[in-house]
């Protein structure tokens, strides 16, 4: 009986394959950064000349062809930060249950499957859900509260996934040391595990805020209006917001050519707002990591 020997690839060929794969990954990442840079540069080129103090502090006027976007900035900040205040505690609590209590049980697997599926649902589906449930069924109307709750539901799966991953990265030795010193499970989670995982959880919060601030479909059915002359005075008032304002200027205006510069200016402000929120969250996360 003949014995066949398997020929293994040489170390030089493996190194060549590794170099080719890393080169391909670098090329792909570089192309993504290049495309993003070109888009941002195009928006900046057309939008920066529009930016001024009056553009940032005045309300739209003269059929949206003049004025500024101050009500839109206020509305976007309220909706995105309000959604974060609701979704972040719920997401962290859900992640703690899944990772620290449910473990690898069958129910936890079903919950994780549902969370992963919800993370891939288009935002317009969440908008229709908010319209049918919060706006119509609960009678909240087109309001800040309806928009905040809809955006919270939209960002919740992302926050749960990233928070659970942050908890999973906390070494088990931290838990074992706390339990060995006489701490209960709840005390270990509150005083040892969560402080160690908070920097990673903030990554999910950053992504959630960025997505909430840029959503159009989720708020156009629940919170945003074409125009409102006053700032909101309660959570049951409707608001203007930057993404929906861009959509209105591009599609629903009677003089779209006159509003073209305002479209680019509004898009630039939205980019700066998202970058500012992300930068603030990154600074907070870095300080928490340094304090560990």
């Amino acid at each position: 009986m003949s014995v066949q020997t398997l020929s293994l690839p040489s170390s030089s060929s493996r190194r060549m394959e590794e170099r080719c794969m890393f080169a391909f990954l670098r090329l792909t990442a570089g192309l993504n950064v290049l495309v993003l840079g070109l888009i941002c540069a195009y928006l900046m080129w057309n939008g920066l000349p529009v930016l001024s103090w009056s553009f940032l502090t005045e309300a739209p006027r003269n059929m949206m062809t003049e004025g500024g976007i101050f009500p839109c900035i206020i509305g976007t900040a309220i909706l995105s930060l309000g959604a974060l205040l609701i979704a972040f505690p719920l997401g962290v609590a859900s992640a703690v249950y899944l990772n620290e209590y449910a473990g690898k049980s069958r129910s936890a697997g079903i919950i994780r499957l549902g969370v992963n599926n919800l993370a891939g649902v288009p935002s317009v589906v969440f908008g229709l859900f908010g319209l049918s449930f919060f706006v119509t069924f609960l009678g909240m109307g087109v309001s800040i509260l309806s928009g905040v709750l809809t955006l919270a539901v939209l960002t919740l799966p992302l926050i749960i996934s990233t928070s659970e991953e942050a908890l999973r990265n906390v070494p088990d030795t931290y838990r074992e040391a706390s339990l060995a010193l006489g701490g209960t499970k709840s005390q270990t989670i509150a005083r040892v595990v969560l402080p160690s995982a908070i920097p990673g959880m903030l990554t999910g919060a950053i992504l959630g805020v960025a997505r909430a601030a840029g959503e159009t479909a989720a708020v156009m059915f629940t919170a945003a209006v074409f125009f409102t002359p006053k700032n909101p005075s309660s959570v049951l008032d409707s608001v203007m917001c930057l993404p929906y304002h861009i959509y209105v200027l591009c599609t629903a205006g009677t003089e779209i050519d006159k509003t073209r510069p305002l479209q680019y200016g509004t898009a630039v402000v939205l980019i700066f707002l998202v970058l500012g929120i992300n930068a603030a969250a990154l600074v907070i996360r870095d300080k928490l990591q340094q304090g560990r």
Side-chain angles (χ1 to χ4, degrees):
M1 184 176 62
S2 60
V3 179
Q4 295 181 350
T5 60
L6 296 177
S7 59
L8 297 176
S10 62
S11 58
S12 59
S13 62
R14 289 198 301 268
R15 285 196 297 270
M16 180 61 67
E17 292 177 359
E18 182 179 345
R19 291 195 190 100
C20 292
M21 183 58 64
F22 276 113
F24 174 75
L25 293 176
R26 292 190 186 98
L27 177 63
T28 305
L31 289 175
N32 288 332
V33 173
L34 177 62
V35 172
L36 178 61
L38 290 175
I39 293 174
C40 292
Y42 179 77
L43 291 175
M44 296 296 177
W45 179 265
N46 292 277
L48 286 178
V50 184
L51 299 185
S52 64
W53 181 250
S54 60
F55 182 73
L56 298 176
T57 58
E58 294 180 358
R61 63 176 187 272
N62 195 14
M63 300 298 293
M64 301 286 188
T65 60
E66 298 177 1
I69 56 171
F70 181 71
C72 306
I73 297 175
I74 296 298
T76 301
I78 291 174
L79 291 174
S80 56
L81 295 179
L84 178 64
L85 291 177
I86 295 176
F88 188 69
L90 292 176
V92 171
S94 301
V96 168
Y97 168 74
L98 290 174
N99 191 75
E100 303 297 326
Y101 292 98
K104 297 181 180 180
S105 63
R106 184 176 181 182
S107 60
I110 295 174
I111 294 173
R112 290 189 182 95
L113 178 62
V115 169
N116 293 332
N117 288 333
L118 284 175
V121 172
S123 60
V124 66
V125 176
F126 288 99
L128 293 174
F129 164 76
L131 173 64
S132 61
F133 186 69
F134 298 122
V135 176
T136 304
F137 182 74
L138 296 182
M140 296 178 182
V142 178
S143 62
I144 294 174
L145 185 58
S146 298
V148 164
L149 292 174
T150 302
L151 290 175
V153 173
L154 184 147
T155 58
L156 190 59
L158 178 62
I159 294 177
I160 292 175
S161 299
T162 54
S163 298
E164 187 180 6
E165 184 64 27
L167 290 171
R168 196 177 293 119
N169 289 333
V170 177
D172 289 335
T173 53
Y174 287 18
R175 300 175 177 86
E176 294 168 358
S178 176
L179 295 173
L181 291 173
T184 63
K185 188 175 183 63
S186 59
Q187 290 174 335
T188 300
I189 294 172
R191 300 180 183 180
V192 177
V193 177
L194 282 179
S196 300
I198 280 294
M201 291 177 176
L202 284 179
T203 302
I206 294 169
L207 297 174
V209 171
R211 184 178 182 185
E215 284 296 337
T216 303
V219 298
M220 67 186 299
F221 301 120
T222 57
V225 292
F226 182 87
F227 175 74
T228 178
K230 62 178 182 178
N231 291 324
S233 58
S234 73
V235 294
L236 296 179
D237 290 340
S238 55
V239 292
M240 300 177 69
C241 65
L242 292 171
Y244 186 64
H245 188 64
I246 297 172
Y247 169 78
V248 167
L249 292 178
C250 295
T251 60
T254 56
E255 298 179 281
I256 295 180
D257 290 336
K258 289 185 178 180
T259 64
R260 191 85 62 192
L262 303 180
Q263 300 170 22
Y264 290 116
T266 307
V268 171
V269 172
L270 179 58
I271 291 175
F272 281 135
L273 179 63
V274 173
L275 289 177
I277 295 174
N278 289 350
L282 287 173
V283 170
I284 295 173
R285 187 185 67 178
D286 291 340
K287 288 185 177 180
L288 289 175
Q289 286 179 333
Q290 293 173 2
R292 289 173 56 181

